[in-house]
Amino acid sequence: MSKTTKISMFKAGLIGSALMASLLSAPSFAQQTRWISDVLYVPMRKGPSNQHTILHRGLKSGTRLSIIEAQENWSQVRLADGSTGWIPNQYLLEEPIAALKLEDAAQKAQRSSNRYQEAADKLKQLSAENESLKKQLSNSEQGSSALSSELNQIKQISANAIDLNNNYQQLAKDHQLLQTELDVARAENERLKKEDSQTWFVYGAGAVLLGVIITLIVPAIRPRRRRSEWG
């Protein structure tokens, strides 16, 4: 019996066993539809033939293996626990089985769903923050408008204060000028008073002197009576 025939018989036995188990477990009515599971258990042998000792009686389909050496019909593999052995190449696939792909797709879909939910929650949070920032911006704009109004008032007050200061400076200059003119007028008045006093003094002195002169001159020029007239 050839190796290929033995392998075919082994596969047929496995399929038959699975079919028998399915039939035995099925209910008595035959109108329900069932499918045979694609789960397969592959033995791992010590060497690259069916005559070698079986090291592992059932490697479940979908088990991940590492290829150590590949021959025409057999490959030496290493399991996750480090054990090694030989398995027929017909049971080795370059891609995971459909069940694993489906499970992987389901996990990816779940991760995508989780990321979508996280993104939705983040979007909701950002929307709430955006609304809060809009309110803060509105309040800031109102506050800015009020500050701008106060600033304009302060500028107006400052302009008025500058005008008042300029007016004060001008008034101070005018006051100083008037004070100077007043001092000059007072000095001139004092000078005139002194001159007037001196003039009246001169006039008085002249009048006194004139009186003295008259007193001295008048008796001298009065005609004397003759003595005969007196006798």
Side-chain angles (χ1 to χ4, degrees):
M1 184 179 293
S2 64
K3 293 181 180 179
T4 304
T5 304
K6 290 181 179 179
I7 293 171
S8 299
M9 292 178 64
F10 177 75
K11 291 176 65 178
L14 290 175
I15 294 173
S17 299
L19 181 60
M20 182 62 70
S22 177
L23 292 174
L24 291 175
S25 61
S28 58
F29 49 90
Q31 293 189 5
Q32 292 187 358
T33 303
R34 293 291 186 272
W35 287 267
I36 299 175
S37 173
D38 62 350
V39 177
L40 181 66
Y41 292 91
V42 180
M44 183 175 68
R45 296 180 180 273
K46 190 174 183 179
S49 69
N50 291 328
Q51 282 73 34
H52 285 82
T53 305
I54 295 176
L55 301 177
H56 198 298
R57 291 190 175 275
L59 294 177
K60 187 178 180 180
S61 55
T63 302
R64 187 172 181 176
L65 308 171
S66 299
I67 301 297
I68 300 175
E69 180 184 352
Q71 297 183 3
E72 182 178 358
N73 296 320
W74 292 77
S75 292
Q76 187 179 18
V77 298
R78 179 181 290 109
L79 303 182
D81 61 1
S83 58
T84 60
W86 292 81
I87 292 179
N89 290 337
Q90 60 182 332
Y91 298 116
L92 299 177
L93 301 175
E94 294 182 358
E95 295 181 356
I97 61 174
L100 293 180
K101 289 183 178 180
L102 180 61
E103 182 180 358
D104 183 61
Q107 292 177 356
K108 289 181 178 179
Q110 184 62 39
R111 289 194 295 269
S112 298
S113 177
N114 293 338
R115 287 196 296 269
Y116 172 79
Q117 187 61 41
E118 291 176 358
D121 294 340
K122 187 64 175 178
L123 178 60
K124 185 177 180 180
Q125 179 182 355
L126 291 176
S127 297
E129 292 178 357
N130 186 34
E131 290 298 325
S132 177
L133 290 175
K134 284 183 179 179
K135 292 181 180 179
Q136 292 180 9
L137 178 59
S138 178
N139 295 333
S140 298
E141 290 177 349
Q142 293 177 359
S144 176
S145 178
L147 290 176
S148 178
S149 178
E150 291 180 2
L151 179 60
N152 291 331
Q153 293 178 1
I154 292 173
K155 288 181 177 179
Q156 185 63 35
I157 293 172
S158 299
N160 295 336
I162 293 173
D163 292 340
L164 289 174
N165 182 65
N166 293 334
N167 294 334
Y168 172 78
Q169 295 295 333
Q170 186 62 39
L171 290 174
K173 292 180 180 179
D174 295 342
H175 178 268
Q176 184 64 35
L177 182 60
L178 292 174
Q179 185 66 40
T180 301
E181 293 178 354
L182 179 60
D183 293 339
V184 171
R186 286 177 178 176
E188 182 66 20
N189 187 34
E190 291 295 328
R191 185 184 66 79
L192 292 174
K193 285 182 179 181
K194 289 180 180 180
E195 290 181 354
D196 187 61
S197 296
Q198 291 176 358
T199 300
W200 283 107
F201 177 77
V202 172
Y203 289 164
V208 172
L209 180 61
L210 181 59
V212 171
I213 292 172
I214 292 172
T215 303
L216 294 176
I217 292 176
V218 169
I221 62 174
R222 180 181 297 176
R224 298 180 178 180
R225 294 179 179 181
R226 294 178 180 177
R227 293 182 177 181
S228 59
E229 293 178 356
W230 293 95

